């Protein structure tokens, strides 16, 4: 299926295998671009306003004019891809690079026209049994740059760190900068302590995850105790529960951290958040 899928590239709808980019595209040469991943549930685009807002912010932070979103009518393109590919439950990537330049040069030409690629990707989220069992995570020094609030395609550090976790049979690496938790290599992190759900404050050190925002909305709706605060490495290891959030798997309980067992299986609040998420998706996207 995936090779014959229709993707959007720079104004054209084309087959995924036929979509081609220039070797002078700055996305390829420098990782000079940003992206967005948006879930589609039952043909509906999830939290679209929040995703578009973050994409515009990422573009703005790397000095690409965010008006491109409206100029090329990105939401209409996503809807068109859902119809053309008959996506029911799927994930849509929007990749925008600074574009093809005249030569390979760090300094970009102001007239560079951004490259826009929009394509689907199929992931199978974890089953409820997997979620209930929980996953293993490792901790790692957060050696990434200090602009991690930009959803940039320059993901080398995240790629290396996620692969380190994978090679240690772990789902995720939780990142520690100067003694404090920032996020995961590809997710945000929540902990639970004495029934209070906590997550690190937004800053330049972590991505403002849309699932983080969604879960925060759910926590407030269900009147659970919640705090956005600094979480030290010690707090992390002392927590009763830990879970990671991302668009592909909104709530992933971590039951083992490095060599420490957090809990035998997913804790009650993590499972509550998982169930609330599934219920919300069923209610609003069916
Ligand atoms: N942090 C990082 C570094 C990520 O790559 C991601 C997305 N995979 C997230 C957090 C979670 O963001 P979202 O909930 O928007 O998918």
């Amino acid at each position: 299926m995936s090779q014959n899928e229709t993707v959007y590239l720079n104004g054209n709808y084309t087959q995924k295998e036929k979509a081609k980019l220039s070797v002078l595209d700055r996305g390829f040469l420098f990782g000079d671009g940003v992206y967005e991943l948006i879930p589609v549930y039952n043909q509906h685009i999830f939290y679209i306003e929040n995703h578009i807002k973050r994409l515009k912010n990422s573009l703005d932070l790397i000095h690409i004019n965010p008006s491109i979103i409206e100029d090329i009518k990105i939401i209409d393109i996503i809807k068109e891809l859902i119809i053309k590919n008959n996506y029911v439950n799927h994930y849509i990537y929007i990749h925008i690079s600074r574009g093809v330049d005249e030569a390979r040069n760090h300094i970009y030409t102001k007239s560079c026209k951004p490259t826009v690629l929009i394509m689907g990707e199929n992931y199978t989220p974890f089953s409820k049994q997997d979620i209930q069992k929980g996953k293993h995570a490792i901790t790692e020094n957060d050696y990434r740059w200090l602009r991690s609030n930009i959803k940039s395609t320059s993901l080398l550090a995240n790629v290396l760190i996620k692969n380190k976790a994978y090679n240690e049979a772990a789902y995720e690496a939780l990142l520690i900068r100067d003694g404090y938790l920032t996020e995961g290599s590809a997710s945000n992190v929540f902990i639970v302590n004495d029934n209070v759900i906590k997550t690190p404050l937004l800053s330049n050190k972590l991505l403002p995850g849309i699932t983080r925002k969604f879960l925060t909305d759910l926590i407030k709706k269900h009147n659970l105790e919640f705090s956005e605060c600094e979480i030290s490495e010690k707090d992390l290891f002392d927590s009763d529960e830990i879970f990671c959030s991302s668009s592909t798997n909104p709530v992933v309980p971590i039951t083992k951290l490095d060599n420490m067992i957090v809990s035998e299986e997913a804790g009650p609040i993590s499972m509550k958040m998982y169930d609330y998420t599934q219920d919300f998706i069923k209610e609003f996207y069916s």
Side-chain angles (χ1 to χ4, degrees), residues 89-281:
N89 293 306
H90 218 80
Y91 299 91
I92 301 284
Y93 278 94
I94 305 170
H95 277 249
I96 304 181
S97 81
R98 201 177 302 280
V100 177
D101 220 333
E102 290 157 11
R104 190 197 181 283
N105 190 337
H106 281 61
I107 298 168
Y108 54 84
T109 318
K110 292 273 189 309
S111 58
C112 222
K113 193 165 171 279
T115 294
V116 181
L117 169 68
I118 309 180
M119 64 175 183
E121 198 60 71
N122 195 15
Y123 295 116
T124 309
F126 295 131
S127 65
K128 186 160 181 180
Q129 280 109 306
D130 277 342
I131 294 292
Q132 184 84 57
K133 252 170 62 188
K135 298 281 171 192
H136 174 202
I138 59 170
T139 52
E140 174 60 297
N141 176 29
D142 191 349
Y143 56 77
R144 303 171 305 159
W145 72 334
L146 285 168
R147 307 291 300 279
S148 297
N149 52 323
I150 302 173
K151 196 162 171 67
S152 163
T153 50
S154 310
L155 284 172
L156 185 55
N158 303 63
V159 166
L160 294 177
I161 294 169
K162 185 86 180 180
N163 277 273
K164 181 176 183 218
Y166 177 79
N167 291 331
E168 294 181 28
Y171 161 73
E172 183 55 302
L174 311 192
L175 305 175
I176 308 290
R177 187 186 286 277
D178 301 329
Y180 289 88
L181 172 70
T182 54
E183 59 179 336
S185 70
S187 60
N188 291 109
V189 184
F190 291 75
I191 66 165
V192 181
N193 225 330
D194 291 332
N195 289 321
V196 183
I197 305 174
K198 299 178 182 174
T199 196
L201 281 160
L202 291 181
S203 73
N204 58 320
K205 297 175 196 158
L206 63 148
L207 188 77
I210 303 305
T211 321
R212 178 191 182 282
K213 162 82 176 102
F214 164 71
L215 292 178
T216 306
D217 291 346
L218 270 188
I219 288 167
K220 288 177 184 159
K221 182 175 158 199
H222 290 279
N223 289 319
L224 299 173
E225 279 191 76
F226 177 60
S227 168
E228 286 177 277
C229 55
E230 296 204 319
I231 296 172
S232 69
E233 187 169 5
K234 181 177 180 304
D235 296 335
L236 177 65
F237 278 91
D238 285 346
S239 26
D240 301 327
E241 299 179 37
I242 302 172
F243 57 91
C244 294
S245 72
S246 73
S247 293
T248 33
N249 279 293
V251 177
V252 180
I254 302 300
T255 46
K256 186 177 166 211
L257 184 60
D258 292 335
N259 291 320
M260 189 195 78
I261 302 294
V262 181
S263 50
E264 286 306 319
E265 58 171 24
I269 293 188
S270 308
M271 285 316 291
K272 217 181 234 184
M273 291 312 301
Y274 175 81
D275 288 337
Y276 287 155
T277 300
Q278 299 306 314
D279 292 347
F280 182 95
I281 293 168

